[in-house]
Amino acid sequence: MDSAATRTVPGAQAVARAAALLRLVTGAGDDGITVAELARRADLTRPTTHRLLTALRHEGLVDQDEQTGRWMPGPELYLMGTVAASRYDITNIARDIVRSLAVRTEESAFLSVRRGDETVCLIREDGSFPIRSFVLSEGVRFPLGVASAGLAILAFLPSHDVDAYFERHPELAERYGGAHAEPRLRARLRETQERGFALNPGLIVEGSYGLGAAVFSRSGHPQWALSLTGVQFRFTPERIAELGRLLLGHAHQLSTRVAAGAR
């Protein structure tokens, strides 16, 4: 919100604030989110937040539950998303691959997409193992480099893009713990490049492990990621290697479909 464009383009600050609220509302999913929590997360006053939400509701972009007062995505977002899906959505060609990953590993499998400096979960498929991790579900966002999907994507971005990302986000360690300080995160990026897939050993929720592999666009950019999550005792070193091979194979299959232009 304090970028050069936001400061100089007329109306840009209001648009940026509204966009931030939309991201927070959609990230809350079906449970919705209170105006107080929105104001806190967006670093806005409560009156400003309510005023923007009222304007967004008038346009159909958000809705408010009459009983709980919580804010949720509006019907106009669905219509807009349907149109945009023809260009950006790969869920139709990825769903069977995510399902195969869940069946073969018995863990929860996911497809996430890069959106700016974040990843957004698009698909979740649960495996047959009864104990599951619920860190990730459809609509949940994480900064690049935090969850395994974002770590896999960040690791294969050009180095100048990685440098710029760290310049924009000095707050990662404060928000997600010392393991996300730049030196330690850069070390995990190098390990991911060498290994081919990312490993998150319980850094978001203790005891919840994650693996991620980048999926590349036709032009070779890491735009999506497949990932697996599960409980720690299932992720022994030997099984991590096995899961990593399966994950990379499925990610390569999806990258091949994207390159072929399948829809």
Side-chain angles (χ1 to χ4, degrees):
M1 273 189 272
D2 59 353
S3 66
T6 303
R7 293 193 300 270
T8 59
V9 178
Q13 185 181 58
V15 172
R17 287 175 169 177
L21 291 177
L22 284 174
R23 285 192 289 270
L24 290 170
V25 169
T26 56
D30 292 338
D31 293 333
I33 187 170
T34 65
V35 66
E37 183 65 11
L38 284 169
R40 185 187 69 81
R41 293 190 189 183
D43 195 23
L44 298 172
T45 65
R46 188 162 176 167
T48 297
T49 302
H50 191 270
R51 185 170 64 252
L52 288 168
L53 288 170
T54 300
L56 291 170
R57 181 173 61 178
H58 180 74
E59 299 297 331
L61 296 170
V62 297
D63 201 4
Q64 188 177 27
D65 186 281
E66 293 182 358
Q67 293 183 334
T68 66
R70 299 173 78 88
W71 292 87
M72 301 178 179
E76 193 65 28
L77 281 182
Y78 168 75
L79 298 175
M80 291 179 175
T82 301
V83 175
S86 63
R87 179 174 182 183
Y88 297 105
D89 187 24
I90 67 165
T91 54
N92 286 339
I93 65 171
R95 195 170 296 278
D96 67 312
I97 292 177
V98 180
R99 186 175 298 116
S100 169
L101 195 55
V103 169
R104 295 187 64 180
T105 64
E106 301 182 338
E107 310 293 352
S108 296
F110 309 86
L111 171 71
S112 297
V113 63
R114 180 189 177 191
R115 183 64 183 93
D117 286 350
E118 298 177 314
T119 56
V120 185
C121 179
L122 299 178
I123 301 176
R124 174 182 177 128
E125 289 281 350
D126 287 324
S128 60
F129 191 72
I131 304 177
R132 297 166 184 161
S133 168
F134 291 95
V135 174
L136 199 57
S137 59
E138 287 93 340
V140 171
R141 295 170 178 259
F142 279 109
L144 295 177
V146 175
S148 59
L151 185 62
I153 290 173
L154 188 62
F156 291 99
L157 287 175
S159 59
H160 59 86
D161 286 345
V162 176
D163 293 340
Y165 175 77
F166 281 116
E167 289 178 7
R168 290 193 300 271
H169 296 283
E171 79 288 351
L172 290 176
E174 182 179 349
R175 288 184 60 191
Y176 295 97
H180 296 91
E182 182 177 342
R184 296 176 67 179
L185 187 48
R186 283 189 181 274
R188 287 203 299 282
L189 293 178
R190 290 191 294 271
E191 292 169 359
T192 299
Q193 292 167 352
E194 294 169 0
R195 193 191 299 116
F197 60 90
L199 172 64
N200 187 328
L203 298 178
I204 301 175
V205 175
E206 187 176 357
S208 177
Y209 271 48
L211 270 66
V215 175
F216 296 86
S217 68
R218 289 185 225 182
S219 56
H221 296 292
Q223 185 63 32
W224 304 272
L226 293 176
S227 58
L228 295 165
T229 66
V231 290
Q232 180 176 353
F233 71 84
R234 298 267 293 170
F235 284 67
T236 61
E238 295 78 11
R239 192 159 186 267
I240 286 174
E242 176 189 350
L243 292 174
R245 285 192 295 271
L246 282 170
L247 185 62
L248 287 172
H250 283 69
H252 177 72
Q253 183 183 3
L254 184 51
S255 294
T256 301
R257 286 188 184 181
V258 171
R263 282 293 183 269

